[in-house]
Amino acid sequence: MFGYMGKILRINLTKETIKEEIFNEKIARFYIGGVGLCTKILFEEVKPGIDPLGPENKLIFASGPLNGLFPCKYVVAAKSPLTGIFGMALASGPFASEIKYAGYDAIILEGRAEEPKYLWISDDEIELKRATHIWGKTTNETEKIIKEEVKHPAARVASIGPAGEKLVKIACIINDLVRAAGRTGLGAVMGSKNLKAIAIKGKKKIQIAREIEFKKLWEKYITIFKEKPHWASVYGTTSGIELYSRERGCLPTKNFTSGVFEGVHNITGETFLYKWTISRSSCPKCPVRCWGTIEIRKGKHIDYYKGPRPEYESIAALGSCCLNDDIESIVLANDACNKYGIDTISTGVIIAFIMECYEKGLITRKDTDNLELSWGNSKVILQIIERISQKDGFGALLSEGVKKIAEKIGGESKDFAVHVKGLELPMHEPRGQKGMGLAYATSPRGACHNRGRGEVKEAIPELGINKEFVEKTNPFNIWGKAKILKISQDWRAVEDSLVICYFANLSISLIVDLFNAATGFDMSINELMKCGERIFNLQRVFNVREGITRKEDILPKRIEEPLRGGYTDGVSISKYEINSMLDEYYNERGWNKYTGIPTENKLRELDLNEAIIELKNLGKLI
Amino acid sequence: MFGYMGKILRINLTKETIKEEIFNEKIARFYIGGVGLCTKILFEEVKPGIDPLGPENKLIFASGPLNGLFPCKYVVAAKSPLTGIFGMALASGPFASEIKYAGYDAIILEGRAEEPKYLWISDDEIELKRATHIWGKTTNETEKIIKEEVKHPAARVASIGPAGEKLVKIACIINDLVRAAGRTGLGAVMGSKNLKAIAIKGKKKIQIAREIEFKKLWEKYITIFKEKPHWASVYGTTSGIELYSRERGCLPTKNFTSGVFEGVHNITGETFLYKWTISRSSCPKCPVRCWGTIEIRKGKHIDYYKGPRPEYESIAALGSCCLNDDIESIVLANDACNKYGIDTISTGVIIAFIMECYEKGLITRKDTDNLELSWGNSKVILQIIERISQKDGFGALLSEGVKKIAEKIGGESKDFAVHVKGLELPMHEPRGQKGMGLAYATSPRGACHNRGRGEVKEAIPELGINKEFVEKTNPFNIWGKAKILKISQDWRAVEDSLVICYFANLSISLIVDLFNAATGFDMSINELMKCGERIFNLQRVFNVREGITRKEDILPKRIEEPLRGGYTDGVSISKYEINSMLDEYYNERGWNKYTGIPTENKLRELDLNEAIIELKNLGKLI
């Protein structure tokens, strides 16, 4: 198979068996790869109701047909311990394509190792190696030790930190030292399997079907890139912070009570760039170069630091969301999250939530191990990160995510526990972009800004969104958002299956051409969009099996309250608004409006016959 | 005095005395003319608490320094019987400048004639003539009879119909057959004075200070006009109907429950233009030509009709607001309102309101003289108009306006009585343009779209509104609206004092230049804006004297409910939003935030020392 490696690696950790399976063209044409492939495997192999942290759960690492050929990410998927539904996370970095260089489109991990192990894959061997000596180590320590052990300094490593080992529900997987497959707690799934890390060094060649055509398309791609500087090229994702606060009023601040942060000038991209950034770098093949390395010498608290420039989401979550404008503390907090292996977004929202509980007197110093949880207390933020990661004292409760914490604290706290389906909201205030609210309510993994967006600023003629339509839409309005979101979610499912980086997608038609030239397929945008819709619907069916209905497609109560201050002062998303958008959305999707379950007709149209049978057996299709 | 006539005519109807008074340059430089002059006179001569329909009220007709030289309107002002506060209405047409041709900047009518009279002013005579024989006649009959009597076919006439005579609270004054000084019930004030009409024929010359300069500026004006077709030139104001419904979701529909009207295609400007419009015309000197005359031959209900093309406000009020898409019925209803002399906006909102009461069972056929008040019942709309105008049966209650009707019907009806300070909302849905909501809440005459707007689409550098600011504003948001509205209200007070037509204002700086060339003054935009602010503040003081405070600067409850359908589906203006805008607004205005009363500092800054003394005497300035 061109573009693909045609093989899936299946490791049973309980039995310590290693199997290669075929990934055939029929499946590739139906599910593309990446997220699509993960969805199909999880749907077929992970039965509803199983414990996400038990051996029945499966953890899948997958790449797509463009990995190794184009700026790509990898995807990791499993049933999520944080949300209890479809869990997935993507990350960039060299590890992403190393899976393919080792000869695989995906790696399925099942069962549970008796004692801590790490998986080592090279062209010569596949081995489950003992990891008892690195158990407890941070991710950066782990990566260093493993590289030395396997004697491959260029081996690519993805690992969990102490948080994943301890089954912290917001634990993530860190690859290439600084990249995080952050959301939905998949680090805990890896920890539950006693798997500390995966290290890969491969040299397999990726076959391209139409090499000359592919090369020409790549040149065209680089030409397009050169014509217009990419927004993320200079400041990386940090460029959004000031803009989001001052111009759009959409920077989550003080646990989503405001979209405007007074201290924003202290934490902007400019601050990073001019003060500290010493180099920019990128994933393999990527011209964007959105990564930054910073160096701090004799700072306010920091004597010396050299490491990654935090990304937008982390700065907002650990900064404005906690009313913290101490930029050095944000750098340190981000670094600590990476090393312990916890998701910066969920961490920031949990801290903001608990600060609000503290302010409101719902908890006191007796509950907080005597920590003073006042807003913006940057010192305490660092202490909490450590406690969450180690499930230490007060941190054990916090490690469960805001949904569960609010259930335990009770009272009015559930009104400001800012999550959807258990996943904490990311750093894009939905009230100032109401289509984002609909996206949060309907994303397959809970509150997510990356599974399609309900807002559009420019026409996308390839996807049928024209200029007139765009001009009629408005971020403060609900009009047209269901239509945009449905299209955007389906296209994003295609991107996540390819598994290209969104920043690197400069032209949809060019991406389609690159895909066809690499694989030798000749699929149209519409055919790919049908794959996207199929994948999205199958994720929904997975969630429906776990009990998800329209009732769970809701926004946190806080979002019904008006924002305070700045450009979005007074803006909310009312129950009526979200319900109106949902009505339209289910209609666009061909889902039952009352249950939020895909209809039999829709599933049949997408050739998802097994899904029909399953839902019928469960009595969920009437 | 150049530009001005320098004289005010004062008619005491009780004593039948006629006096000429001086209008001097000092007053002109302080209050400009038009609305500014009316405001000053009403403030000084109409004491708080008087009965608007008693002889102590004064009715003033005024023109401004550009009347006769530029496309202008006239203004009529008094204490309003509908709202009990500052009442004013503007209308265009040849009558507007005829006041000046007769030699006056304003005409003050005071007292009450013993029997019906009309005022006849020509260069040769000023006479109060008997009107008992035309009492009861419609406005068009009145105009015809008077022109014959005074033997001047080109005399300009403003008159009231049966509604004004019968003190219907929404009675208007009609001039030139088809132009209406519509709002705040000033036709009833005229009726209360037993004055049926004013007829004028004058030949006085208006002196221009710098004639050559003025001529050049006028040529420049015409050049600007020719460069860009005016939006109102083809369809007149009817061009907005379809746009407002489909593109902006701001066409008041079904008593302000929706901003989108399903039947809009039946009542659009296109329908008028292509089916019926036979000619376009204009006020004297105006190149815009926004008026249309239509002719209907063998229509659905109408055998033959020739008359004015209804304006936007009337079509929406009598159409979409009542869920009526029968266009011929709208033409007839508009014609009936003009002839009986009632305001089409208030009429439409009253009918929509009572239809909703009927739908909700708050009133039944027993209350409605057996009329079937179902939504869109076009036949019944025509019957109600007649009953309101004649205070006939059920119409007597309706003639009081929605505020009073709701007080009488009681129950939940006050929640959907759509007015501010007693004045029914005009046809610009505020939820889809929240700055309009603030304008409604703070306009001196109650809900009004023409006393400044809280929305801006293009930069107005002359008034300090730049492109960056405009780009940050958004119709669904409250950001920046207070700032825009304050500037816009002050400028509009200038325009209403000049008394130029807004449609004809193609350039602010050119208007200022024309004013200076005409009067020989040399006032800057800033000086004129200070006059505007002074006038606006004095109107506020007038209203404060009558009991108005921040508490009355509210929006109807309906506006807090979400709109249903289309582009604005789900949009509301919450209490929080309006209060936030108000806080900012009082701050911009330099008014007390808690009382909504201008501060002493602000009044002193505007040289309104009498206002300070008055408010102190009333204990309203602390």
Side-chain angles (χ1 to χ4, degrees):
Chain A
M1 258 168 100
F2 294 104
Y4 298 92
M5 310 312 287
K7 282 194 294 190
I8 294 169
L9 184 67
R10 186 185 291 269
I11 312 277
N12 187 304
L13 293 157
T14 310
K15 300 178 192 159
E16 298 206 5
T17 56
I18 294 166
K19 268 206 308 192
E20 278 185 1
E21 295 174 3
I22 299 298
F23 175 50
N24 68 32
E25 191 180 315
K26 195 186 159 206
I27 304 292
R29 284 180 176 274
F30 250 58
Y31 294 101
I32 304 173
V35 162
L37 179 57
C38 291
T39 304
K40 177 184 154 51
I41 296 170
L42 289 179
F43 171 74
E44 286 174 359
E45 303 190 12
V46 174
K47 289 301 150 201
I50 63 123
D51 175 6
L53 298 178
E56 303 85 359
N57 201 2
K58 306 208 174 180
L59 185 70
I60 310 167
F61 287 73
S63 62
L66 287 175
N67 276 75
L69 306 171
F70 187 84
C72 278
K73 303 194 173 214
Y74 72 103
V75 58
V76 53
K79 180 172 171 179
S80 161
L82 183 63
T83 62
I85 58 171
F86 185 81
M88 62 176 279
L90 285 86
S92 57
F95 178 86
S97 299
E98 203 72 20
I99 300 170
K100 269 173 91 178
Y101 291 132
Y104 303 105
D105 295 304
I107 303 168
I108 304 172
L109 298 151
E110 50 190 35
R112 181 179 191 275
E114 210 166 301
E115 56 168 11
K117 298 275 181 176
Y118 71 90
L119 178 65
W120 163 237
I121 303 172
S122 73
D123 284 321
D124 308 317
E125 55 180 337
I126 297 177
E127 196 185 342
L128 278 166
K129 292 170 94 85
R130 278 188 70 237
T132 39
H133 59 300
I134 39 177
W135 203 248
K137 301 278 186 215
T138 58
T139 57
N140 58 329
E141 289 166 342
T142 302
E143 179 154 346
K144 193 166 162 250
I145 295 168
I146 289 177
K147 279 179 175 174
E148 280 168 11
E149 281 191 9
V150 299
K151 297 187 185 74
H152 261 293
R156 305 304 180 184
V157 179
S159 68
I160 57 171
E165 299 169 9
K166 293 195 160 126
L167 311 182
V168 165
K169 296 274 172 60
I170 60 164
C172 65
I173 297 163
I174 298 284
N175 59 285
D176 302 300
L177 293 173
V178 295
R179 296 286 115 188
R183 310 230 66 197
T184 70
L186 302 182
V189 177
M190 197 155 155
S192 75
K193 300 203 171 307
N194 256 329
L195 186 71
K196 180 69 177 170
I198 299 178
I200 311 179
K201 187 68 226 162
K203 280 183 282 188
K204 300 252 176 2
K205 195 175 152 31
I206 299 162
Q207 304 288 334
I208 295 174
R210 305 192 287 261
E211 289 230 34
I212 297 163
E213 185 187 329
F214 191 92
K215 207 178 150 197
K216 274 192 190 152
L217 290 166
W218 177 257
E219 278 161 16
K220 194 172 158 191
Y221 173 78
I222 294 297
T223 307
I224 294 176
F225 177 83
K226 282 182 182 161
E227 276 166 8
K228 199 181 152 197
H230 194 280
W231 69 266
S233 279
V234 180
Y235 301 107
T237 57
T238 65
S239 63
I241 295 163
E242 192 149 18
L243 175 94
Y244 243 51
S245 176
R246 286 204 304 167
E247 303 286 315
R248 298 182 54 194
C250 283
L251 182 72
T253 300
K254 207 181 178 193
N255 197 29
F256 291 82
T257 50
S258 176
V260 179
F261 182 38
E262 268 195 26
V264 74
H265 55 280
N266 293 327
I267 62 166
T268 59
E270 276 88 350
T271 307
F272 281 104
L273 189 74
Y274 295 118
K275 275 177 82 171
W276 295 328
T277 299
I278 53 167
S279 68
R280 287 165 50 211
S281 53
S282 72
C283 296
K285 309 228 175 258
C286 187
V288 177
R289 297 169 65 79
C290 73
W291 302 14
T293 299
I294 60 172
E295 189 179 42
I296 304 177
R297 292 164 189 266
K298 294 214 163 93
K300 206 171 119 200
H301 324 300
I302 299 176
D303 262 355
Y304 185 80
Y305 170 91
K306 190 176 165 185
R309 179 173 65 195
E311 301 294 343
Y312 168 82
E313 296 288 331
S314 311
I315 297 167
L318 301 164
S320 58
C321 196
C322 299
L323 221 62
N324 173 26
D325 71 347
D326 177 345
I327 193 165
E328 289 182 24
S329 81
I330 295 172
V331 171
L332 292 178
N334 178 64
D335 194 51
C337 287
N338 284 349
K339 286 177 177 164
Y340 290 125
I342 53 174
D343 176 28
T344 53
I345 298 175
S346 288
T347 301
V349 176
I350 289 169
I351 297 174
F353 168 76
I354 206 72
M355 283 176 165
E356 187 165 344
C357 287
Y358 186 78
E359 184 189 37
K360 295 199 159 137
L362 296 169
I363 56 167
T364 65
R365 283 204 176 204
K366 270 184 274 176
D367 311 297
T368 69
D369 308 337
N370 208 30
L371 292 178
E372 166 61 31
L373 296 187
S374 51
W375 286 108
N377 185 340
S378 57
K379 207 174 137 194
V380 104
I381 290 172
L382 289 165
Q383 290 172 314
I384 294 177
I385 288 170
E386 197 170 333
R387 276 162 211 247
I388 290 176
S389 304
Q390 304 283 4
K391 281 191 171 176
D392 180 12
F394 181 44
L397 170 63
L398 301 192
S399 76
E400 297 285 312
V402 294
K403 185 185 174 190
K404 294 259 167 65
I405 309 171
E407 282 167 14
K408 290 202 178 133
I409 291 178
E412 59 163 319
S413 73
K414 73 174 189 314
D415 293 346
F416 55 84
V418 184
H419 70 90
V420 173
K421 301 181 179 79
L423 186 67
E424 288 77 14
L425 259 65
M427 295 298 119
H428 302 259
E429 174 50 57
R431 281 161 284 191
Q433 39 188 340
K434 297 192 176 182
M436 185 66 87
L438 183 62
Y440 287 171
T442 61
S443 154
R445 71 174 183 182
C448 176
H449 62 294
N450 272 333
R451 303 281 83 68
R453 297 193 177 186
E455 300 290 340
V456 68
K457 279 183 195 160
E458 279 172 26
I460 317 173
E462 298 102 319
L463 302 182
I465 297 175
N466 63 25
K467 195 164 155 276
E468 289 68 36
F469 182 86
V470 174
E471 281 171 359
K472 279 190 73 179
T473 70
N474 182 307
F476 290 100
N477 194 0
I478 62 174
W479 186 89
K481 302 308 167 70
K483 184 181 166 182
I484 299 169
L485 182 62
K486 191 263 179 192
I487 292 170
S488 166
Q489 285 175 330
D490 290 348
W491 172 249
R492 190 46 69 89
V494 173
E495 288 184 318
D496 287 346
S497 301
L498 282 171
V499 189
I500 60 166
C501 176
Y502 328 131
F503 288 4
N505 174 5
L506 308 178
S507 153
I508 287 175
S509 57
L510 192 53
I511 295 293
V512 174
D513 291 346
L514 283 160
F515 164 73
N516 283 321
T519 57
F521 296 173
D522 204 5
M523 287 173 79
S524 65
I525 294 180
N526 284 347
E527 285 171 281
L528 280 167
M529 282 293 275
K530 193 164 179 186
C531 290
E533 190 179 5
R534 179 180 298 120
I535 294 160
F536 195 90
N537 273 266
L538 195 58
Q539 289 167 355
R540 181 71 175 185
V541 171
F542 184 97
N543 287 344
V544 167
R545 281 196 320 201
E546 300 287 354
I548 295 297
T549 64
R550 176 172 177 145
K551 281 199 197 75
E552 286 71 34
D553 293 347
I554 49 172
L555 290 175
K557 191 125 200 310
R558 169 120 305 163
I559 305 303
E560 290 174 36
E561 298 167 16
L563 286 165
R564 306 288 161 118
Y567 184 54
T568 45
D569 189 50
V571 178
S572 66
I573 299 182
S574 67
K575 272 216 172 66
Y576 176 85
E577 285 174 314
I578 185 65
N579 280 326
S580 288
M581 287 195 282
L582 283 171
D583 283 347
E584 253 183 272
Y585 175 79
Y586 298 132
N587 186 41
E588 290 284 338
R589 280 247 164 260
W591 292 358
N592 183 303
K593 180 175 150 174
Y594 302 100
T595 62
I597 296 175
T599 57
E600 187 171 345
N601 278 346
K602 174 52 75 178
L603 295 173
R604 182 155 294 127
E605 179 195 320
L606 298 169
D607 298 296
L608 291 172
N609 295 317
E610 303 86 344
I612 296 174
I613 294 164
E614 279 239 16
L615 290 188
K616 282 203 169 164
N617 285 343
L618 292 167
K620 305 225 178 210
L621 262 194
I622 314 139
Chain B
M1 257 168 101
F2 294 104
Y4 299 92
M5 309 314 288
K7 283 195 292 188
I8 295 168
L9 183 67
R10 184 184 294 268
I11 312 277
N12 187 304
L13 293 156
T14 311
K15 302 179 192 161
E16 300 207 5
T17 56
I18 295 166
K19 270 205 305 191
E20 279 186 0
E21 296 174 2
I22 300 296
F23 175 51
N24 68 33
E25 192 180 315
K26 195 186 158 206
I27 305 292
R29 284 181 177 274
F30 250 59
Y31 294 101
I32 304 172
V35 163
L37 179 58
C38 290
T39 303
K40 177 185 155 48
I41 298 169
L42 288 179
F43 171 74
E44 288 175 356
E45 303 189 14
V46 174
K47 290 300 149 200
I50 61 123
D51 175 7
L53 298 178
E56 303 86 358
N57 201 2
K58 306 210 175 179
L59 186 70
I60 310 166
F61 287 73
S63 61
L66 287 175
N67 277 74
L69 307 171
F70 188 83
C72 277
K73 304 195 174 213
Y74 72 103
V75 59
V76 52
K79 178 171 172 180
S80 161
L82 182 64
T83 62
I85 57 171
F86 186 80
M88 62 175 279
L90 284 87
S92 56
F95 177 85
S97 299
E98 203 72 20
I99 301 171
K100 269 175 89 178
Y101 292 132
Y104 303 105
D105 295 305
I107 303 167
I108 305 172
L109 299 149
E110 49 189 36
R112 182 180 189 273
E114 210 166 300
E115 58 169 8
K117 297 276 180 176
Y118 71 89
L119 178 64
W120 164 236
I121 303 172
S122 72
D123 284 320
D124 308 314
E125 55 182 338
I126 298 176
E127 194 186 343
L128 278 166
K129 291 169 95 81
R130 279 188 70 237
T132 38
H133 58 302
I134 40 177
W135 204 249
K137 301 277 186 214
T138 58
T139 57
N140 58 329
E141 288 165 343
T142 301
E143 180 154 344
K144 195 168 160 250
I145 294 168
I146 289 178
K147 279 180 176 175
E148 280 170 14
E149 281 191 9
V150 299
K151 296 188 186 74
H152 261 293
R156 306 303 181 184
V157 179
S159 68
I160 56 169
E165 298 169 9
K166 294 194 159 125
L167 312 181
V168 165
K169 296 275 173 61
I170 60 165
C172 65
I173 297 164
I174 298 285
N175 60 283
D176 301 302
L177 294 173
V178 296
R179 297 285 115 189
R183 309 229 68 196
T184 70
L186 302 182
V189 177
M190 197 154 154
S192 76
K193 300 203 171 307
N194 255 332
L195 186 71
K196 179 70 178 170
I198 299 178
I200 311 179
K201 187 70 226 162
K203 280 184 280 187
K204 300 251 175 8
K205 196 174 151 34
I206 300 161
Q207 304 287 334
I208 295 175
R210 305 192 286 262
E211 289 230 33
I212 297 162
E213 186 187 330
F214 191 91
K215 208 178 150 198
K216 275 192 190 151
L217 290 166
W218 177 257
E219 277 159 17
K220 194 173 160 192
Y221 173 77
I222 293 298
T223 307
I224 294 176
F225 177 83
K226 282 182 183 159
E227 276 167 6
K228 197 181 154 197
H230 194 279
W231 69 267
S233 279
V234 180
Y235 301 107
T237 57
T238 65
S239 65
I241 296 165
E242 191 149 16
L243 175 94
Y244 243 50
S245 175
R246 286 203 305 169
E247 303 286 315
R248 298 183 54 196
C250 283
L251 182 71
T253 300
K254 206 182 178 192
N255 198 28
F256 292 82
T257 51
S258 176
V260 179
F261 182 38
E262 269 195 25
V264 74
H265 55 280
N266 293 326
I267 61 167
T268 60
E270 278 88 349
T271 307
F272 281 104
L273 189 74
Y274 296 118
K275 275 176 83 171
W276 296 327
T277 300
I278 52 166
S279 68
R280 287 165 51 212
S281 53
S282 73
C283 295
K285 311 231 175 253
C286 187
V288 177
R289 295 168 66 79
C290 73
W291 302 14
T293 298
I294 59 173
E295 188 180 42
I296 304 176
R297 291 165 190 266
K298 294 213 165 95
K300 209 170 118 201
H301 323 300
I302 300 176
D303 260 354
Y304 186 80
Y305 170 91
K306 191 175 163 185
R309 180 172 66 195
E311 301 295 343
Y312 168 82
E313 297 288 331
S314 310
I315 297 168
L318 301 164
S320 58
C321 197
C322 299
L323 222 62
N324 174 25
D325 71 346
D326 177 345
I327 193 168
E328 289 183 24
S329 80
I330 296 171
V331 170
L332 293 178
N334 179 65
D335 194 50
C337 288
N338 284 350
K339 287 177 177 165
Y340 290 125
I342 54 174
D343 175 28
T344 53
I345 299 175
S346 288
T347 301
V349 176
I350 289 169
I351 296 175
F353 168 76
I354 206 72
M355 281 176 166
E356 186 164 345
C357 288
Y358 186 79
E359 184 189 36
K360 296 200 157 135
L362 298 168
I363 55 165
T364 64
R365 282 206 176 204
K366 271 184 273 176
D367 311 297
T368 69
D369 308 336
N370 207 29
L371 292 178
E372 165 62 32
L373 295 187
S374 52
W375 286 108
N377 186 340
S378 56
K379 207 174 137 195
V380 104
I381 291 172
L382 290 165
Q383 290 171 314
I384 294 177
I385 288 171
E386 197 170 333
R387 275 161 211 249
I388 291 176
S389 304
Q390 304 283 3
K391 281 193 172 173
D392 180 13
F394 180 45
L397 170 63
L398 302 192
S399 76
E400 297 284 311
V402 295
K403 185 184 175 193
K404 294 259 167 66
I405 309 172
E407 281 167 15
K408 291 201 179 132
I409 291 179
E412 57 164 321
S413 73
K414 72 173 188 316
D415 292 347
F416 55 84
V418 185
H419 70 89
V420 173
K421 302 183 179 77
L423 186 66
E424 288 77 14
L425 260 63
M427 296 297 117
H428 302 258
E429 173 50 58
R431 282 163 282 191
Q433 40 188 339
K434 297 191 178 185
M436 185 66 87
L438 183 62
Y440 286 171
T442 60
S443 155
R445 71 174 183 180
C448 176
H449 62 294
N450 272 332
R451 303 280 85 68
R453 298 195 176 186
E455 301 289 342
V456 69
K457 280 183 193 161
E458 280 171 24
I460 315 173
E462 296 102 320
L463 303 182
I465 298 174
N466 64 25
K467 193 164 155 276
E468 289 68 36
F469 182 86
V470 174
E471 280 171 0
K472 279 190 74 178
T473 70
N474 181 308
F476 290 101
N477 195 0
I478 61 176
W479 187 89
K481 302 308 166 71
K483 183 181 167 185
I484 299 168
L485 181 63
K486 191 262 180 193
I487 292 170
S488 166
Q489 285 174 332
D490 290 349
W491 171 250
R492 190 47 69 89
V494 173
E495 289 184 317
D496 287 346
S497 301
L498 282 172
V499 189
I500 59 165
C501 176
Y502 327 132
F503 288 4
N505 174 4
L506 308 177
S507 154
I508 287 176
S509 57
L510 192 52
I511 295 293
V512 174
D513 291 345
L514 282 161
F515 165 73
N516 283 322
T519 57
F521 295 174
D522 205 5
M523 289 173 77
S524 66
I525 294 180
N526 285 346
E527 287 172 277
L528 280 167
M529 283 292 276
K530 193 165 179 188
C531 291
E533 191 179 4
R534 178 180 300 120
I535 294 161
F536 195 90
N537 273 266
L538 195 56
Q539 288 166 356
R540 181 70 174 186
V541 171
F542 184 96
N543 288 343
V544 166
R545 281 198 318 200
E546 300 289 353
I548 294 297
T549 65
R550 177 174 177 143
K551 281 200 195 76
E552 285 72 35
D553 293 347
I554 49 171
L555 290 176
K557 193 127 200 307
R558 168 121 306 163
I559 305 303
E560 289 175 34
E561 298 167 17
L563 285 165
R564 307 288 161 119
Y567 184 54
T568 46
D569 190 50
V571 178
S572 65
I573 299 181
S574 67
K575 271 216 173 63
Y576 177 84
E577 285 174 313
I578 185 66
N579 280 326
S580 288
M581 287 194 283
L582 282 171
D583 283 348
E584 253 182 271
Y585 175 79
Y586 299 132
N587 187 42
E588 291 284 340
R589 280 248 164 258
W591 291 359
N592 182 304
K593 179 174 151 173
Y594 303 100
T595 62
I597 296 175
T599 57
E600 186 170 346
N601 277 346
K602 174 53 74 178
L603 295 174
R604 182 155 294 128
E605 178 195 321
L606 297 169
D607 298 295
L608 292 172
N609 295 317
E610 304 86 344
I612 296 173
I613 295 165
E614 279 240 14
L615 291 187
K616 284 202 167 163
N617 286 342
L618 291 168
K620 306 226 178 208
L621 262 193
I622 314 138

